[in-house]
Amino acid sequence: MTEIQTPRLLLRRWDPEDDLVPMAEINADPMVMRWIGDGNPLSLEETAEKIERWEEEWDDEGFGLFAVELLGSGELIGFTGLSVPDFLPEVLPAVEIGWRLGRQFWGQGYASEAAHAALEFALQDRGLDRVVSIAQLANQASVNVMTKLGMTLDRETVHPVHGAPLAVYAIDLTEYQA
Ligand SMILES: CC(C)(COP(=O)(O)OP(=O)(O)OC[C@H]1O[C@@H](n2cnc3c(N)ncnc32)[C@H](O)[C@@H]1OP(=O)(O)O)[C@@H](O)C(=O)NCCC(=O)NCCS
């Protein structure tokens, strides 16, 4: 099952044509990208490559980042979902949960609502027993979502390429209460 409905959201796989422009707008916002990678916004072409890779991960791994849309309007608000955190070899093997929403969709509980559904998916559909989440230490909004999900600090480290201080949170899904 790769579509999940929550009270306000639909989590689904990517439609590279329809999702490109709205996701590129999100990735082009410096405030959204501030704590991600080198902190630079992405171009339309870079977002097109990302969507292609996100879909490949679904095909290769059986899990991936869900495109998240608002029920009713069908507006794409960003993503939440699972990926392999290749950028941080010290935590591998691992599956990471992550999220990124357009700025106008922050502060409404959407990230947490989608993340709960993605954790359920990890446990029930994919049988994963542990999920991590990685954020720059200063990214309080992201760490806030992690703690609301019941994740706890596993370790602090630094990004191997950019050197930014990172927090690695983790959850044992065998003890996860939805
Ligand atoms: C990280 C990110 C997804 C968090 O989004 P968010 O909207 O702050 O997260 P939530 O969905 O948990 O919502 C937060 C607030 O919405 C409010 N809210 C409003 N209506 C709500 C509702 N119906 N249900 C729950 N919360 C609601 C709550 O006050 C909550 O804050 P609190 O937990 O302090 O009480 C967002 O900041 C983002 O996209 N950032 C840029 C990308 C990024 O950094 N991604 C992570 C990289 S590691």
Side-chain angles (χ1 to χ4, degrees), residues 8 26 29-37 77-80 87 96-103 105-115 133-136 139-148 166-167:
R8 297 179 295 171
I26 294 169
D29 181 344
M31 285 280 286
V32 170
M33 299 305 289
R34 181 172 177 200
W35 305 115
I36 296 166
I77 67 168
F79 70 68
T80 300
F87 69 95
E96 181 190 13
I97 186 166
W99 31 72
R100 186 183 307 166
L101 301 184
R103 208 193 312 177
F105 304 108
W106 297 355
Q108 298 171 68
Y110 291 141
S112 296
E113 184 170 321
S133 193
I134 304 160
Q136 291 191 22
N139 190 350
Q140 193 49 55
S142 192
V143 169
N144 187 31
V145 178
M146 294 172 198
T147 53
K148 283 192 288 181
L166 300 177

